[in-house]
Amino acid sequence: MAAQESNIGRNLLGKSKEELRSLLESLGEPGYRGGQIYHALYAERRFDFGAMTNLPAALRERLAREVCIELPRIARSHRSLDGTVRYVLALGDAKAANIETVFMPEENRQTICISTQAGCAVDCRFCLTATLGLTRNLTAGEIVGQVLVALDDNRDALKPQTNIVLMGQGEPLLNYDAVMAALRILLDPEAVAISPRHAALSTSGIIPGIERLAQEKVRPHLAISLNASSSEQRDKIMPINRKYPLEKLLDACRKYPLRPREWLLFEYVLLNGFNDSPEDAQRVAKLLANMRAKVNLIPWNPGELPFRRSDPARVEEFRRILLDKGVLVFVRDSRGQDVMAACGQLALSESQTASEQAPVPAS
Ligand code: SF4
């Protein structure tokens, strides 16, 4: 364990260009070498100093002795029929934990759903991650590392565009600094180079985090896990609503300074007989009136929790009502995507289960 812990400061993964420059200078090397490592690590995905041929051989050898690049380790992976791969990744540094990352191939792109915390403390009643509680926050390196591992593991079949969604385990806005440090690397055209237009962060509604995100120069799309048509109803499935009530949350959303081509995404998990009535749809339309918003309706995927799936006719009626009221609305299909439906619906974290063959919950 002592050896593992000593890697925390030595691991270059998650360091910004400025941090790498300073580190190289502290080693008595020119600062620009830090920029070269930044490019090799994040843009070229070279995880071995020996492969960083843009560096002199002596420096490569020195780096291999004195620092390291430690990616999350693939403990298990589960491939569903539609090509979706769910990874269970083992994190070694500090407090060991397992997290989940999902790789979803599509025709012209891949979407990677990443976790921001091991477990989650927010306790949404429809989310299996909630049953785990919070183990710990992830570091910036552990967040960036999930994307690098998924890209590298699928390197022979990558499509030109990569999307990322911060909708795995955890509430991203409760790990704000590490999440933003990771996003600055992921969205940097000189690093992982994912377009901010192809990135989305889903929150259960942490208002101070939304207000901070509003100030960021580069940021992903903001998605809100709504799931209810009134504050009273939301209280019953999302205890966070008692701290950040729906009215105040929507107020923060209205104040969110949307840029051209930016919109708010509201995720709505349809729970049969609880929040899927035509009256609910009418109320949701009213709540979102005059907002530049899209709604994703997510029919509940039967699992271990005491909810039932909405009838397809009811889903369609809900969709139709929103559409008639002028709300842009989509129904998520039931492929592997649904493992990342609302924030943290990555269900069966295997950090606490021994099952090797736990199915992808929604495939
Ligand atoms: S839905 Fe998101 S915020 Fe809610 S408990 Fe699950 S992971 Fe946490």
Side-chain angles (χ1 to χ4, degrees):
M1 179 54 94
Q4 277 185 352
E5 282 176 3
S6 67
N7 275 348
I8 297 170
R10 296 175 67 232
N11 191 0
L12 301 193
L13 191 67
K15 292 202 189 299
S16 66
K17 191 193 272 185
E18 295 68 36
E19 287 169 331
L20 290 171
R21 286 183 68 93
S22 309
L23 180 81
L24 269 286
E25 280 166 4
S26 74
L27 295 175
E29 302 284 344
Y32 71 85
R33 295 286 185 211
Q36 290 177 309
I37 295 171
Y38 183 80
H39 188 265
L41 174 55
Y42 300 126
E44 297 176 353
R45 296 200 301 278
R46 294 182 196 267
F47 309 132
D48 182 343
F49 294 115
M52 294 187 181
T53 47
N54 54 349
L55 301 178
L59 178 57
R60 283 184 259 152
E61 281 163 26
R62 184 178 180 197
L63 290 170
R65 281 194 309 273
E66 299 186 18
V67 291
C68 65
I69 295 167
E70 198 172 281
L71 291 162
R73 183 177 58 78
I74 299 174
R76 286 179 287 284
S77 62
H78 309 278
R79 193 172 289 269
S80 90
L81 287 177
D82 64 16
T84 298
V85 189
R86 180 164 65 98
Y87 294 100
V88 179
L89 300 180
L91 308 176
D93 274 354
K95 195 169 174 191
N98 281 358
I99 51 159
E100 297 186 10
T101 302
V102 181
F103 179 89
M104 290 161 278
E106 291 167 79
E107 203 178 323
N108 295 313
R109 64 183 185 195
Q110 47 271 333
T111 298
I112 303 171
C113 176
I114 56 178
S115 297
T116 53
Q117 297 179 307
C120 185
V122 174
D123 207 18
C124 303
R125 300 288 187 254
F126 52 85
C127 173
L128 280 170
T129 302
T131 61
L132 302 172
L134 177 68
T135 304
R136 66 169 172 87
N137 280 335
L138 302 191
T139 64
E142 289 166 342
I143 297 168
V144 172
Q146 293 171 65
V147 177
L148 298 181
V149 165
L151 289 175
D152 197 53
D153 196 49
N154 295 278
R155 59 187 168 278
D156 295 332
L158 289 181
K159 307 288 164 39
Q161 180 182 318
T162 298
N163 293 9
I164 49 163
V165 290
L166 284 70
M167 298 185 183
Q169 290 179 8
E171 165 50 69
L173 297 182
L174 290 181
N175 185 18
Y176 192 92
D177 291 334
V179 164
M180 280 315 299
L183 282 171
R184 283 182 202 112
I185 295 168
L186 292 168
L187 306 185
D188 180 355
E190 291 179 23
V192 186
I194 291 163
S195 164
R197 289 188 292 116
H198 300 149
L201 177 155
S202 180
T203 178
S204 58
I206 309 297
I207 294 174
I210 293 172
E211 290 168 346
R212 280 182 80 183
L213 196 64
Q215 308 303 320
E216 298 287 348
K217 213 165 100 197
V218 178
R219 63 186 185 211
H221 285 292
L222 177 61
I224 311 285
S225 192
L226 181 65
N227 311 317
S229 65
S230 71
S231 209
E232 300 69 46
Q233 194 183 51
R234 202 165 188 262
D235 274 349
K236 292 185 186 138
I237 51 168
M238 299 184 74
I240 194 75
N241 194 65
R242 293 189 203 117
K243 189 162 185 190
Y244 302 116
L246 185 59
E247 299 72 28
K248 290 192 174 158
L249 172 59
L250 293 175
D251 203 36
C253 290
R254 276 185 217 98
K255 289 183 184 141
Y256 195 77
L258 290 172
R259 295 167 184 158
R261 302 176 76 184
E262 211 180 4
W263 30 260
L264 293 170
L265 176 66
F266 288 88
E267 308 263 19
Y268 196 99
V269 177
L270 287 161
L271 304 168
N272 185 39
F274 177 76
N275 65 358
D276 66 344
S277 71
E279 295 72 31
D280 285 308
Q282 303 274 4
R283 280 193 291 270
V284 168
K286 214 166 160 185
L287 291 174
L288 305 185
N290 303 321
M291 271 196 230
R292 203 196 303 165
K294 296 182 188 178
V295 174
N296 269 349
L297 297 177
I298 303 146
W300 168 252
N301 289 295
E304 296 174 10
L305 297 171
F307 294 105
R308 284 180 302 129
R309 189 176 175 84
S310 298
D311 184 76
R314 211 163 161 97
V315 174
E316 176 52 23
E317 190 181 8
F318 201 105
R319 186 189 75 87
R320 172 57 56 190
I321 291 170
L322 288 182
L323 206 59
D324 288 347
K325 296 277 179 192
V327 179
L328 199 54
V329 55
F330 303 90
V331 178
R332 282 272 180 83
D333 65 39
S334 292
R335 298 173 52 223
Q337 283 103 319
D338 288 335
V339 291
M340 45 65 98
C343 65
Q345 285 215 0
L346 280 189
L348 296 173
S349 166
E350 300 185 28
S351 57
Q352 294 185 6
T353 74
S355 170
E356 284 278 322
Q357 297 303 326
V360 176
S363 60

